[in-house]
Structures are given as C-alpha cells and as structure tokens.
Amino acid sequence: MTQRTKIDARGAYCPGPLMELIATLKLVEIGDEIEVWSSDKGSANDIPEWVAKVRHEMVGIDECDGYWSIVVRKAK
Amino acid sequence: MTTRPLCILLCSGEHEKIQMAAMMASVAAVSERPVQVLVSMNAVLAFLKEPPDGARYHGGTYSGLMLEKGAPDAVELFQQGKMLGDLQAHVCSMAMDVGGWQEGDLVDDLFDGVMGLTKFLSDAEQAQFITL
C-alpha cells in the first residue's frame, strides 16, 4: 500500500527543501510518495528538475497560501 | 550518457563563496553527478573543528544576512552531499602543512584525506572545473 510522507520545509532556504526530500526518499519504499511543503520559490522549479534528472516521478505541484506543495513518487 | 564530473577548487575564506561551493557541490552530488572538492588556502579555516577566532564564517553583507536568516550551514551542506550523493572532499596538503594542521583538526564526516594539487588537476582533466 502506497504511503505518503509529509515534509514541512517552509522557512528553509535553498537547497534545504530539496535535501530534505532526498534524505527522506532514501528511507521510503519504491512507489511511496513524499509531499514537500516549501516556501522557497526556487524549489517549485528545482525539485521537478531534480526529479526528472534522477528519474523519479512528479505527482503534482500546487501553489498554496505562501508556499508550494510538491508531491514526488519514489520510482527506483 | 555519462555525466561530466564537477571539480571545485575552494580557496576563499569568504563565507559567500564557501556557501556557493557547498550549494553547488551538494546539489550536483545528489543529482547523480560525481563531485570532487579540494579545499585550500583560507577556506581551510572554515573546516577546522576549532576556527582560530571562534567564528567559522567571515564575509560581507550577504554573509550576515545568511547567518541572521538561518540559511543552510555550508559545512553541513557539504556533509549532506557526501552522505546522500557522490561527493569526495580532500584538503590541500600544502595548506595543511603551512597551517600546521592534522586531518583530525578538520570537521568530521566530510574529508576523504589530504591531496596534492597535481593529483587533483589530473583527476579534473575531463571535468567541469570551478574555482572559488
């Protein structure tokens, strides 16, 4: 069963949210999802770019009230 | 496709340059790109367990802002890059000799040893090379 882990990285500066995502990806199973909350504007572009480069999967990205919710699925 | 390695020669003791080196090294390393870092000259001071005047980072206006706002710590970023990606870090043998330091004087969980410039340049021949 797919699990979703939430990371509240609001207030963290680049590349903090990305590094928190990567550290968490190491701990979860393939197919699991991670939802990152980030108020860092760069993360909205950087995290999808990183996900494409290392061949995980973007599930979605939403701009919320002052932060972005970025959902990534572990693909390998 | 083979990813071109990234080699960073970090010489400056300026916090802003050390921070940028840490950001580039850590992000590249976790992006499946091999990274080699050689730390030399004044930059070594920021990696000592006990910096000479007690302060790890010295810089200008932006350094003050990063410390005030809680930007990620540069040394910790290097350590994260090593833990999560393909990052090797060495310290310059000449800088260590001149400073009178031993490897045990450096922060833990980062350095792979002491290296001379000749070896670093040889390893860097096919890499993208950045000096800060």
Side-chain angles (χ1 to χ4, degrees):
Chain A
M1 183 177 168
T2 299
Q3 302 285 325
R4 180 176 286 195
T5 303
K6 289 187 179 178
I7 301 170
D8 188 352
R10 291 176 295 180
Y13 294 94
C14 172
L18 174 64
M19 301 304 279
E20 287 194 49
L21 166 66
I22 295 166
T24 306
L25 270 168
K26 298 261 185 193
L27 304 175
V28 302
E29 301 293 328
I30 293 172
D32 285 352
E33 296 176 353
I34 299 174
E35 180 176 355
V36 184
W37 289 359
S38 174
S39 52
D40 166 48
K41 292 175 185 171
S43 294
N45 293 317
D46 285 349
I47 288 178
E49 178 74 21
W50 180 84
V51 167
K53 185 172 191 312
V54 302
R55 301 171 302 281
H56 288 297
E57 294 173 12
M58 278 297 300
V59 176
I61 179 165
D62 290 308
E63 187 169 359
C64 304
D65 185 19
Y67 67 95
W68 283 264
S69 168
I70 306 161
V71 182
V72 176
R73 183 181 295 119
K74 180 170 179 171
K76 60 178 185 174
Chain B
M1 186 178 75
T2 304
T3 302
R4 193 178 175 203
L6 176 64
C7 286
I8 299 174
L9 177 59
L10 178 58
C11 299
S12 175
E14 285 181 48
H15 183 195
E16 291 88 341
K17 291 186 177 181
I18 295 170
Q19 187 79 15
M20 184 51 72
M23 292 169 68
M24 287 193 293
S26 59
V27 171
V30 299
S31 300
E32 301 182 350
R33 187 171 185 187
V35 177
Q36 279 213 40
V37 180
L38 181 66
V39 177
S40 186
M41 305 293 177
N42 281 338
V44 178
L45 297 168
F47 294 87
L48 293 173
K49 283 177 181 165
E50 296 179 13
D53 63 357
R56 184 168 304 285
Y57 302 116
H58 302 272
T61 302
Y62 209 85
S63 170
L65 283 171
M66 289 192 290
L67 294 171
E68 176 190 331
K69 304 270 186 175
D73 180 87
V75 171
E76 290 178 8
L77 276 176
F78 278 116
Q79 291 166 327
Q80 287 175 359
K82 184 169 191 63
M83 182 173 62
L84 300 171
D86 184 0
L87 188 155
Q88 288 194 346
H90 292 87
V91 62
C92 171
S93 55
M94 183 279 286
M96 293 293 277
D97 288 345
V98 171
W101 301 304
Q102 305 298 317
E103 284 185 68
D105 295 323
L106 301 170
V107 295
D108 295 326
D109 304 322
L110 177 58
F111 289 100
D112 296 280
V114 173
M115 183 181 279
L117 192 57
T118 303
K119 173 75 166 84
F120 185 70
L121 289 174
S122 176
D123 290 348
E125 281 183 3
Q126 304 303 320
Q128 182 180 10
F129 195 100
I130 295 172
T131 303
L132 286 167

